[in-house]
Amino acid sequence: MKRIAIYPGTFDPITYGHIDIIKRANFLFDELIVAVVKNPPKETLFSWEERFALVKKAVKEIKGVKVEVFDGLAVDYVQRKKARIIIRGLRMISDFEYEFQMALTNRKLSPTIETIFMMPSEAYSYLSSRLIKEAGTLGAKLSSFIPPFVEKALKRKLMDKSYE
Ligand code: ADP
């Protein structure tokens, strides 16, 4: 049986931290699907179409990785894909409580699905999409945190926002 893993997330926008997890997970499983949440509970800077397009471009060269969009419960989506593994990234202790709660809730909803946590390279262990957006607003140089085309999209987006 093919081992399919799903890496769900908001990816608003994708960072080198996400990409690091994608590469590590791809090494472990037969197939990896990066699943962009269409309507997350938090407000996003990028639309789902933009988040999806940026993820797709970021993983273009990583063989065996697919990118999809899903709506609704992650466990329902995982089951529809006939997969049993959810990948999540763990950075610092601060991620732990939320991720722990979510993994156990998902297990209650769907006992056959396992959540696997992976740690990024320490260079990305403090990196988050939220931080990138904040730093971008302040004009920071972001080239060590996000790919150049993501930086370009972010700058453009922040510029449009400031004119709104
Ligand atoms: P979500 O809203 O589902 O948390 P995110 O895009 O913020 O979506 O994160 C998706 C997953 O990637 C989460 O498990 C998060 O902990 C993980 N992640 C985000 N940034 C990093 C990073 N720098 N290193 C490792 N994992 C990360």
Side-chain angles (χ1 to χ4, degrees):
M1 207 176 90
K2 223 164 130 182
R3 285 188 184 273
I4 306 169
I6 313 268
Y7 179 29
T10 309
F11 305 103
D12 185 40
I14 188 163
T15 70
Y16 283 139
H18 294 122
I19 297 170
D20 182 283
I21 297 294
I22 290 168
K23 286 183 179 157
R24 286 172 202 279
N26 191 39
F27 182 70
L28 293 178
F29 300 100
D30 301 319
E31 187 177 321
L32 177 69
I33 304 174
V34 182
V36 178
V37 187
K38 199 168 186 176
N39 294 304
K42 51 191 174 193
E43 205 191 314
T44 59
L45 179 64
F46 291 96
S47 68
W48 70 262
E49 291 93 339
E50 291 165 333
R51 290 181 282 120
F52 173 71
L54 291 173
V55 174
K56 242 188 128 66
K57 195 162 176 183
V59 305
K60 201 171 70 197
E61 254 122 61
I62 313 174
K63 248 178 122 174
V65 177
K66 284 189 185 161
V67 186
E68 294 192 355
V69 177
F70 77 100
D71 214 357
L73 280 177
V75 284
D76 290 344
Y77 168 75
V78 171
Q79 257 159 356
R80 280 203 302 280
K81 300 310 292 182
K82 302 200 174 358
R84 291 188 48 189
I85 301 153
I86 293 179
I87 301 289
R88 294 288 289 177
L90 259 194
R91 287 158 292 185
M92 287 154 297
I93 288 289
S94 51
D95 278 339
F96 182 77
E97 204 170 327
Y98 172 73
E99 293 291 344
F100 185 75
Q101 251 177 11
M102 195 157 66
L104 290 186
T105 306
N106 282 341
R107 179 177 287 164
K108 209 78 209 149
L109 294 171
S110 193
T112 55
I113 294 175
E114 286 296 336
T115 303
I116 295 183
F117 293 101
M118 302 193 71
M119 274 175 281
S121 152
E122 61 189 55
Y124 307 127
S125 62
Y126 56 91
L127 180 57
S128 69
S129 301
R130 185 178 54 81
L131 192 86
I132 291 299
K133 285 177 278 188
E134 283 172 14
T137 311
L138 300 172
K141 202 168 164 290
L142 300 172
S143 53
S144 35
F145 309 125
I146 48 179
F149 62 90
V150 177
E151 187 168 5
K152 217 165 128 193
L154 179 63
K155 292 255 155 82
R156 197 177 316 128
K157 182 61 102 180
L158 292 173
M159 190 110 86
D160 291 349
K161 272 238 163 263
S162 66
Y163 286 116
E164 264 175 19

